[in-house]
Amino acid sequence: MNAAAPPASPLLALPGAVAAESPDEGVAAHYGELFREQRALAAGSGFVDLSHRGVVTVTGADRLSWLHLLLTQHVEDLKPGVATEALVLSANGHVEHALYLVDDGETTWAHVEPGTQGALLAYLESMKFFYRVETADRTGEFALVHLPAGSIAPVPDGAAVRETPYGRDVFLPRAELESFAGSAGTPAGVLAYEALRVEGHRPRLGRETDHRTIPHEVGWIGSAVHLQKGCYRGQETVARVQNLGRPPRRLVFLHLDGSEVQLPAHGTPLRLASDGPEGRALGFVTTAARHHELGPIALGLIKRNTDPQAPLLAGSTAAAQEVVVEA
């Protein structure tokens, strides 16, 4: 089941809009003033157009009990309006999908990484069996908009909302995106949103993950994985790592040398500074960003036994570590 890409956002026609690159094509990277946009979000004003993300819904009387069997999170008793996160794992415990969920009492709404909704729905459809559920790709009908924590921007009646500590995710009818933008304040691009995500140490599928990532490595235990439930694919790996060992890699927050003009790209090798730029790679940069207060920062995935105090090189850029996932 292939997912059609949503149409390019009409907000790309706003003054100053610069289109984002992969994996965020279709929305604005920024509107001409990256740090002003970040400061606005940090202060609780403005909004972020995330209308390129996939939107999936599940309806039917059995939707929560059925999702409970498939996802890493405890959702069987999920109350209307309560936001949560969940993963779909492979049989070996590797992360395949990340879902950001809310239930409105009749429908479970989820937003997912751009372009992944087709594969997710194919998996869900294969697991329906006798359950009273219906799944749908609603990306063509609904656009996701993010309002930062503290925002007082009005939310249209009937829109599904995920309330989180870092803001509200609003599932907005796509036809209302332009009118909503006119009432929600200053737009901020995905570069501002990503910089605040990196600052908050929040992993993103496809950036902080690769084909062999397990939840423990990137800090999804607790936020997206409930350790007191079983019966989902890959649960054995989660339990084994939790009870008997430690993950082979760990997420790390990096302060980058501000004298470099270019940020290290996704996948740039991480090495010990003492080994030099030709030393053995210990991991890689996952997301780098320019922060309005912290300067250039990044998240990276490195071998667990790397000394947390050791200075690193991200390519040729000096990097100092902060622990996100314990060694």
Side-chain angles (χ1 to χ4, degrees):
M1 183 185 297
N2 294 321
S9 173
L11 304 191
L12 283 171
L14 291 177
V18 174
E21 299 178 351
S22 178
D24 292 318
E25 300 100 329
V27 296
H30 60 82
Y31 296 88
E33 298 183 74
L34 173 61
F35 290 152
R36 183 182 66 83
E37 295 165 26
Q38 279 187 45
R39 287 192 289 268
L41 292 179
S45 64
F47 71 96
V48 185
D49 175 12
L50 298 177
S51 60
H52 62 312
R53 289 185 64 82
V55 176
V56 171
T57 60
V58 182
T59 55
D62 296 335
R63 67 189 182 282
L64 292 178
S65 58
W66 176 67
L67 287 169
H68 186 79
L69 297 174
L70 304 178
L71 305 180
T72 56
Q73 188 58 272
H74 196 297
V75 297
E76 189 171 29
D77 301 316
L78 187 64
K79 303 300 182 185
V82 175
T84 193
E85 302 175 13
L87 309 174
V88 172
L89 305 182
S90 72
N92 293 323
H94 300 138
V95 179
E96 292 188 344
H97 295 282
L99 295 79
Y100 300 85
L101 300 155
V102 70
D103 193 86
D104 65 10
E106 296 182 352
T107 301
T108 302
W109 296 79
H111 66 84
V112 298
E113 284 298 316
T116 65
Q117 64 269 25
L120 173 62
L121 284 168
Y123 171 66
L124 295 178
E125 284 290 316
S126 73
M127 301 301 290
K128 284 172 66 172
F129 303 118
F130 55 83
Y131 290 95
R132 295 170 296 171
V133 293
E134 294 296 331
T135 66
D137 180 356
R138 308 294 294 278
T139 310
E141 304 166 64
F142 288 88
L144 190 74
V145 174
H146 176 78
L147 297 172
S151 170
I152 59 172
V155 175
D157 292 340
V161 178
R162 291 186 71 249
E163 189 84 40
T164 75
Y166 52 88
R168 287 178 288 168
D169 295 334
V170 182
F171 296 86
L172 187 74
R174 192 168 286 275
E176 298 179 19
L177 180 58
E178 287 184 90
S179 61
F180 176 83
S183 64
T186 303
V190 291
L191 290 183
Y193 180 84
E194 285 288 279
L196 298 181
R197 178 182 69 80
V198 171
E199 179 193 18
H201 305 168
R202 300 194 303 273
R204 180 179 176 185
L205 184 78
R207 303 303 286 178
E208 281 61 58
T209 70
D210 57 20
H211 68 282
R212 57 193 179 98
T213 300
I214 60 176
H216 285 83
E217 292 180 322
V218 295
W220 261 325
I221 298 300
S223 65
V225 177
H226 195 288
L227 292 173
Q228 304 307 313
K229 72 171 290 260
C231 302
Y232 59 87
R233 190 174 67 176
Q235 185 266 340
E236 295 84 357
T237 297
V238 171
R240 184 168 61 250
V241 173
Q242 181 69 19
N243 296 324
L244 301 177
R246 295 178 178 177
R249 303 177 296 178
R250 59 183 176 87
L251 190 67
V252 64
F253 180 77
L254 302 170
H255 291 274
L256 303 174
D257 179 3
S259 65
E260 297 288 343
V261 175
Q262 296 291 331
L263 290 172
H266 173 77
T268 298
L270 289 170
R271 300 178 170 90
L272 291 175
S274 59
D275 291 344
E278 302 302 321
R280 179 170 60 94
L282 302 174
F284 61 94
V285 173
T286 59
T287 306
R290 298 191 186 279
H291 191 275
H292 69 287
E293 290 183 340
L294 300 176
I297 56 176
L299 293 172
L301 201 58
I302 61 173
K303 291 186 175 181
R304 177 182 56 81
N305 59 3
T306 303
D307 180 358
Q309 303 302 317
L312 302 178
L313 286 176
S316 60
T317 301
Q321 304 179 58
E322 282 187 19
V323 173
V324 176
V325 173
E326 293 291 337

